[in-house]
Amino acid sequence: MGAEGQHIQYLISGITLGSIYALIALALVVTFNITGIFNLAIGEFVTIGTLSAVTLRSAGCPDVPAFVLAVLIAGVIAATMERAAIYPARKASILTLIIITIGVAIALRGAALLIWGTHPYPLPPFVDTAPIALWGAVIIPQMLFVLGLAVVAVMLLFAFFDLTYAGKAVRAAMINRNAARLVGINPARLSLLAFVFSGMLAALAGIFIAPITTATYDMGFMLGLKGFVAAILGGVTNVKGAIVGGLLLGIIEAFAIGMLSSGMKDGIAMMVMIIVLLICPTGIMGLRIYNKRTGSWMVWLRQKVGTGSR
Amino acid sequence: MLRVNGLTKQFGGLTALCGVGFVAQPGQILALIGPNGAGKTTVFNLITGVLQADQGEILLANKRIDGLRTFEVAALGISRTFQHLELFTTLSVAENVMVGAWPRNRASFLRCLFRRPGMMKKDQELYNKALGLLAQVGLKGKADWPAKSLTFGQQRLLEIARALAGEPQVLLLDEPAAGLNHAESADLAAFLRSLAERGLTLILVEHDMDTVMGVADQIVVLNFGTVIAGGSPSEVQQDPEVIAAYLGKEDDEVC
Amino acid sequence: MASAKSRYWIALILVVVCVPLFVKSNYVLSILIVIGLYAIIVQGLGLLMGYAGQVSFGQAAFYGLGAYTAAILATKCDWPPVLCVLVAPFLPALVALIIGRPILRLREHYLVLATLGFGILAFAAFNESIALTGGPSGLTGIPYLSIGPLVLDNDRSYYYVVWGVLGLVILAVANLTGSPIGRAFKAIHASEQAAQSAGIDTALLKLQAFVFSAFLAGLAGGLYAFWVTFVGPSPFGFTASIEFVLMAVVGGLGTLWGPVLGSAIIVGLAEFLRWGVPILLPKVGGEFEIVFFGIIFVLIMLLRPQGILAPGRPSGMSGVAVKEEKCSG
């Protein structure tokens, strides 16, 4: 494989993994905008969805119903989480809520460990076709499914936001949470739906990527975190930014792993996140030329970060 | 002496202040008045470095202080109170005042960690000083109460005591009489007068016209971010622009 | 009054000193050592969370940094062990000093994620800098801690070292929280704006608390290295960072004994679960105890966010954000 082919290979695997990050970031951003809560348990829904699908398949359930059922299971758990842990604490401080989502995350991870153990489970690709060679790079057919899922999910989401009344109302609620009440949306129900939606989307992302990676009880942890990195990269309040951020992170990671070392894979994403948080906390989509006098930048940063999140 | 020259501040496209200037002299009380949203609190936020001005300068004793950060401004001798009370609710009344004395009694992390001898003795002196200040504002005997147990009016007085503990040259008071009854307002006015007589520079933002007219030496009237009038209370009261700006207006400033 | 206070201290010291006389099991002693080590870390974290109102989900990185510094100085530079333990905390403190300013400018979710990211980054670095840290297989051959001719090669003597250091740490934290600095911290917590207007450099104070917490974590790390005489990356991962926050929260933020209690509860519970759960579920492996920690986390946050020892009203981090909510609303 020539150097050029290798670069194309990096790009393709970057985009594949990036699509997954983008989907998880999307789930996070939508929930964050509606509820003001970063769901740090998002990765566990990836795990639960995927491992449920594995279990259902091995119990003899055909592929598609197994996947649908697995996504629904993730949705039910997300609903339970929202009702049992988030809703009762909705008036608590943001840090309390963050710690709650972390608590839910580790409880779910522990539960996954108890149910499925530490060993990896394979999930076969959706179709059994030979890899495709393209410009010296190899495309695994499953990658196309991942890309397809990302495109379809994004299109459906945008169609929902742009074309339906409910979507427009949700969008209004995302911009101004008080506006939700004005257009007749019950904020409690919206919060529930947001969590269910994000849990189901995360599960779907896991089921699609698992044939390429593998399914383990802790697969969601890093995927979830990378979803956060993608969301931050794109500017946490920005739906389009989440997609761009996810793809960008995937590509950065693929090239960094290919050219540097695979061991720092997770380190690179964290480094990207820290750099973005420190230099431009509004993310790449929030970048603006800011030519105010000395000191203004700090004030600006403080306004953008933290205070506006709830 | 605090001098403000040509202060301009925009929020997005909205001009909050435009070329505001005034001079506050030691021993005098200057009142900033104006309708809601006239930019009075913004002036305070600019002076104290909470916000940075887009244009203009702020001078304390002829030295520029704009561009400094809030705690640096405070260390130079400008203390303030807040329109919406910002007490340290988890501390006692006396402790609030003791924190206010920080600019003259800065503590070092390492010295506190190792509890250097003499430190706690100094703190006891600070406590006694706080008791004195509390007595001055009429909070005698409440030193060890939790700050949040005070009534609204008392909390306002505590904020003033806390601001005074820093031994400031300039005291900025943001609506000190809001929520006080008539007698309390009168007491407050007398107290502010006595502070001015001690040589302090006082600037207050106030809605209560009785208090303002009774206590201020100089009044600056803001409307839509510009100074529309200035001078002694009697001059301002007769100014037609001021009368126009205030016509029919009598409600409290909204957050 | 002073004598009552000192009597209380003497009683506590006596209890700590006498415990090894009654406890013969090395297993129990080693658990007590772990509790002591964690309590040192959590004292720092408690100060950061309960007083400075900040949070760090990356304390395990500082713990690891201290452990590796001590281990590397002892094995590769042949420094005397005591010197290694004393020097080790300064590297994490320095790192905290460098990253502290920009990181502490962040708030809430962003602060959580940035510290968490830092912790994961450090963990990856421990694993990957093989030349320095030995990578996943770690560093072996660390000598026992020795003071002159006295070699501390058993848990009984090490217990005294760790709890002795913890005693000094508690004393230092008590000094700090009872001092004007402690008051300033509480002030920042209650109203950052008013604290700044009172002339307090709030960013500096928060940084100091952060650096101090990193120092204590590094101190515990150095002590850990000379106790187990082996340092690998596994105790310094993300789970450990979360457990430290859990200990701080469970014990009660803004209290002197909360960190000790929190460490004892979480370490004790982990040991109990590691003993008990395999009896019920024999096939289970890995860190399954986290499922219970997660549930405790959620329950504590829902039912008693101020922790066990803190008085009625929620204090600690909750106060800050509630305040912010009020302002932004």
Side-chain angles (χ1 to χ4, degrees), chain C residues 9-250:
Chain C
W9 276 93
I10 289 166
L12 270 169
I13 290 169
L14 271 179
V15 169
V16 170
V17 168
C18 292
V19 161
L21 303 178
F22 302 104
V23 174
K24 296 292 170 208
S25 141
N26 266 346
Y27 168 71
V28 175
L29 273 177
S30 70
I31 288 174
L32 289 173
I33 291 173
V34 171
I35 291 173
L37 288 174
Y38 286 177
I40 293 172
I41 302 170
V42 179
Q43 281 291 353
L45 188 60
L47 191 82
L48 186 68
M49 291 174 72
Y51 283 86
Q54 306 300 300
V55 68
S56 167
F57 277 89
Q59 283 316 92
F62 296 126
Y63 180 41
L65 224 50
Y68 276 111
T69 308
I72 288 166
L73 289 177
T75 55
K76 306 209 168 166
C77 310
D78 288 322
W79 283 29
V82 173
L83 194 60
C84 294
V85 171
L86 292 178
V87 168
F90 286 93
L91 185 70
L94 183 69
V95 171
L97 187 66
I98 294 167
I99 65 167
R101 278 257 178 200
I103 276 198
L104 293 175
R105 217 154 51 194
L106 302 169
R107 292 190 183 179
E108 297 164 359
H109 300 100
Y110 302 88
L111 181 63
V112 169
L113 285 171
T115 53
L116 201 147
F118 165 72
I120 291 170
L121 194 59
F123 183 67
F126 294 151
N127 268 301
E128 290 304 305
S129 329
I130 293 167
L132 213 54
T133 64
S137 44
L139 284 171
T140 51
I142 303 168
Y144 283 110
L145 196 61
S146 54
I147 303 159
L150 186 67
V151 180
L152 304 169
D153 57 355
N154 59 70
D155 286 350
R156 193 165 307 272
S157 50
Y158 219 83
Y159 164 87
Y160 285 115
V161 171
V162 170
W163 281 76
V165 171
L166 174 62
L168 291 177
V169 167
I170 291 176
L171 191 65
V173 170
N175 279 349
L176 210 53
T177 53
S179 75
I181 281 276
R183 196 163 58 221
F185 273 129
K186 283 186 206 156
I188 294 175
H189 209 149
S191 168
E192 184 157 357
Q193 199 189 358
Q196 276 183 5
S197 296
I200 297 173
D201 185 350
T202 54
L204 178 70
L205 254 71
K206 287 182 199 168
L207 182 67
Q208 287 172 331
F210 188 57
V211 171
F212 182 64
S213 78
F215 184 91
L216 290 188
L219 182 64
L223 289 171
Y224 169 83
F226 287 99
W227 175 44
V228 291
T229 68
F230 161 80
V231 174
S234 59
F236 312 121
F238 169 71
T239 313
S241 284
I242 291 208
E243 281 178 20
F244 296 148
V245 175
L246 183 57
M247 289 169 196
V249 170
V250 166

Side-chain angles (χ1 to χ4, degrees), chain B residues 49-61:
Chain B
V50 173
L51 299 171
Q52 299 294 328
D54 298 328
Q55 274 167 39
E57 48 183 24
I58 303 161
L59 300 105
L60 179 69

